[in-house]
Amino acid sequence: MKNLIAFIAKYNHWFVFIILEAISAVLLFQYNSYQGSVWFSSANVVAGKVYEWNSEIESFFSLTKVNEELTQRNIYLEHQVSQLSNRITKLTDDSSFLHSNQLQMLSSYKLIPAKVVTNETNKRDNLITIDKGEADGIKKDMGVVSGTGVVGIVYMTSPHYSIVIPVLSSHSNISCTIEKRGYFGYLHWNGGPISLAYVDDIPRHAKFRRGDNIVTSGYSSIFPEGIMVGKVGYVFNSADGLSYRVQVHLSTDFGRLRDVCVIADESMKERLQIMRAAQDSIQATR
């Protein structure tokens, strides 16, 4: 203890210097907007790199499980394609019909692969950071998906990173439909288990059952039709008793989310622009 006191007494001027420097830095960056913005931008870049390195290490140790999921998913998709090909061939007697329509459909979609850098799941308004940004062609309001289903919507971008509002956020509002039933509503999550969300405003006359698939409706300008969201769980009455509230078992495992794709679709971009123009026009006339 005496040695510690002696050490502090001997170098007390250095400690005073460091404390004054720290106070000066705080005052400089807190009360000067330009210096504060430079510090904020630099800190974000450094933090992003650290999170990226941490995510890469975690991804390396989880590659076995990820590869198993990808293999299972590929087998499932190959089976689905095979079934669809056989059905279309029987109906049209022309197998080239499938290939031409697939190429036509996929030509309007560009998928930008990205890695999840940070992934919050313990808040009411969670956020996800991915390692691709404006330099890679990503823009605000683009849809984000994984190999198993919907993830969220791009909210903010920088040159090399993007922030995504996932399904696990109270601000998420994705138009969905019950596959093969034709009824649609809006997907919401207001806390609770990260594997469960809810679709509101399903009509009372709707006919469906547990286990039915919930997919994107295609009515929005963000997600194309038919992307997997989850499966129907329990069904509840809405607060006003005029519609159903459907529990959804989400197909995306947000607890182990690592790889995603951002949907960059020019036709959706055009739809979004004309929708915003219409909204601005209506507000201007009020």
Side-chain angles (χ1 to χ4, degrees), residues 147-261:
T148 54
V150 168
V151 173
I153 301 171
V154 175
Y155 174 66
M156 186 180 296
T157 62
S158 69
H160 303 292
Y161 295 94
S162 297
I163 301 296
V164 177
I165 294 181
V167 171
L168 304 183
S169 171
S170 64
H171 296 293
S172 178
N173 188 27
I174 298 173
S175 178
C176 300
T177 184
I178 302 176
E179 191 176 38
K180 299 180 181 178
R181 305 288 183 177
Y183 306 107
F184 72 96
Y186 293 90
L187 187 72
H188 295 287
W189 183 84
N190 293 313
I194 62 174
S195 60
L196 298 177
Y198 295 88
V199 173
D200 296 321
D201 303 323
I202 298 295
R204 296 282 298 181
H205 61 270
K207 303 296 183 183
F208 55 92
R209 58 189 178 185
R210 290 186 65 182
D212 282 351
N213 289 338
I214 302 290
V215 297
T216 53
S217 66
Y219 292 157
S220 73
S221 302
I222 298 173
F223 291 102
E225 180 182 0
I227 297 179
M228 189 68 176
V229 175
K231 291 185 178 293
V232 173
Y234 292 104
V235 179
F236 308 91
N237 287 322
S238 63
D240 57 13
L242 300 178
S243 60
Y244 287 131
R245 191 169 198 244
V246 178
Q247 184 188 71
V248 181
H249 294 273
L250 297 173
S251 59
T252 300
D253 185 352
F254 286 91
R256 294 190 291 112
L257 191 61
R258 291 288 180 272
D259 297 278
V260 298
C261 285

Side-chain angles (χ1 to χ4, degrees), residues 106-124:
L106 293 175
S107 63
S108 62
Y109 298 97
K110 177 184 177 183
L111 299 180
I112 304 173
K115 293 278 187 182
V116 174
V117 177
T118 61
N119 180 20
E120 299 174 345
T121 58
N122 59 349
K123 300 177 181 178
R124 188 171 182 269

